[in-house]
Amino acid sequence: MTERIKQLGIQGFRGATQPLDLSFDTSKSVILIFGENGSGKSTIVDALECVGSGSTAFLDDWKLGKGKRKETYIPTLGKAVEDVKISLKFGGQDYSATLNARGVQLCNTTGRPQTKVLRRKSLQAFIDADPAQRYKEVSSFLDIPQIEASEASLRQAYKE
């Protein structure tokens, strides 16, 4: 069976003004997060990306001003960098991420799940791109060589 996210905990991260513990139904193959604007959807997704890969890519397009460190914009308003804590239960393991002056610090637990977030900017680039560029945009989210191998196997089976 495919491993699934069991629980996500967020403290002091972006829009999480109160500690947040989300439990996920591991029997479901798809997680749908929906809500009104400003309800915390992006905070949840950004926390998953942060604890999975240590990425703060969600800040890459923000205009922060000269000499500003993006890590200072991650804590919830009124919280310090040291107050940021993210925990993830996945595949029988516990993973965590904290923040300090040097940036995101990941725990040493092995087998960390890979997290990639398909953002609106990437989707728009995909839509606007020529076919070769579309391939490049989508390739980091899909196992293209595995898909091509599966297609080749199907073609061979059809011929036989």
Side-chain angles (χ1 to χ4, degrees), residues 75-126:
T76 299
L77 190 62
K79 299 287 185 179
V81 170
E82 298 79 23
D83 296 328
V84 175
K85 292 173 182 50
I86 306 168
S87 61
L88 177 69
K89 291 183 186 290
F90 176 86
Q93 296 281 352
D94 293 336
Y95 303 93
S96 65
T98 57
L99 194 64
N100 64 27
R102 294 176 308 202
V104 177
Q105 303 300 306
L106 300 175
C107 66
N108 292 326
T109 308
T110 59
R112 183 175 299 280
Q114 283 190 327
T115 55
K116 296 179 183 178
V117 176
L118 185 58
R119 299 188 184 280
R120 180 181 297 141
K121 179 180 175 182
S122 296
L123 285 172
Q124 192 61 50
F126 178 76

Side-chain angles (χ1 to χ4, degrees), residues 9-31:
I10 305 171
Q11 287 184 280
F13 180 80
R14 296 206 49 211
T17 58
Q18 299 293 318
L20 174 66
D21 285 309
L22 287 172
S23 295
F24 296 92
D25 185 345
T26 57
S27 69
K28 306 294 183 190
S29 59
V30 174
I31 297 170

